Amino acid sequence: MTVRIEKVDLPGIGVRHDLVTESGRRLAVVRYRDGERELGLYDANDPDECRESLRITDDEAEALAELFSASLAVSRLTKLTEETDGLYTEKIALPADSPFVDKTLGDTKTRTRTHVSVVAIIRDRRVIASPTPDEMLREGDVIVTVGTRAGLDAAVRLISDGPE
């Protein structure tokens, strides 16, 4: 069995999208006509019996989407680096005394200076995937990078100490 998404129209109510897992479990997102959302976990043996449900706000839905997206991206990146000799990932914490605190990611010129790609920034347990050069760096950010071992070592020095 493969993972699949099923759409169920709920006349007068809204729409339910079911994620049917490989094990046959159903996780649903109900989008009501008034814009409200609800997560539901359905009985494995009866797809119409909701075992548990939880209303979520727009902000909570966005946060969940970011968590799943980031988690999936990091998992895929980790798998890629495990399968590829010479390609590594590194999480670089931005120290309080870094010259790049309150500067943009572009100001670091990480890619130009180290040949390393910044694939995400983790800030306050939120992930900013594929950050643009205009993204402001904040104290405590964790910069997720991918590159060669030598490039990553250079990126750690750059982020911590600034350009030489």
Side-chain angles (χ1 to χ4, degrees):
M1 181 180 219
T2 60
V3 177
R4 68 181 189 276
I5 302 284
E6 295 178 357
K7 179 182 173 188
V8 179
D9 289 320
L10 304 171
I13 297 171
V15 176
R16 184 178 90 197
H17 288 92
D18 292 355
L19 169 81
V20 183
T21 67
E22 289 180 2
S23 66
R25 296 299 309 262
R26 288 178 180 266
L27 177 65
V29 176
V30 177
R31 173 77 178 189
Y32 293 93
R33 292 177 65 198
D34 65 3
E36 296 290 318
R37 284 187 197 82
E38 187 173 276
L39 293 177
L41 182 60
Y42 286 77
D43 186 282
N45 298 318
D46 184 354
D48 293 323
E49 184 179 341
C50 185
R51 291 287 189 187
E52 188 75 30
S53 66
L54 173 69
R55 285 220 184 234
I56 59 172
T57 66
D58 287 347
D59 288 341
E60 292 164 341
E62 185 177 336
L64 276 173
E66 287 179 14
L67 283 173
F68 280 119
S69 175
S71 174
L72 183 59
V74 170
S75 293
R76 287 181 176 165
L77 184 58
T78 300
K79 184 177 179 185
L80 173 65
T81 59
E82 288 171 355
E83 296 173 349
T84 308
D85 290 334
L87 185 63
Y88 304 94
T89 59
E90 182 98 20
K91 292 180 183 176
I92 305 170
L94 185 66
D97 61 348
S98 169
F100 298 114
V101 171
D102 296 327
K103 303 285 186 192
T104 67
L105 179 60
D107 289 337
T108 69
K109 298 182 182 173
T110 300
R111 187 171 181 79
T112 302
R113 291 176 170 145
T114 67
H115 305 287
V116 164
S117 295
V118 174
V119 295
I121 297 172
I122 302 170
R123 177 179 298 142
D124 299 325
R125 299 187 331 169
R126 288 187 59 223
V127 174
I128 303 165
S130 302
T132 67
D134 295 333
E135 185 66 44
M136 293 296 291
L137 297 175
R138 303 285 181 231
E139 179 182 339
D141 282 355
V142 176
I143 301 166
V144 182
T145 56
V146 63
T148 64
R149 182 72 267 149
L152 293 171
D153 291 343
V156 168
R157 287 189 303 275
L158 172 68
I159 297 301
S160 296
D161 304 326
E164 296 177 352

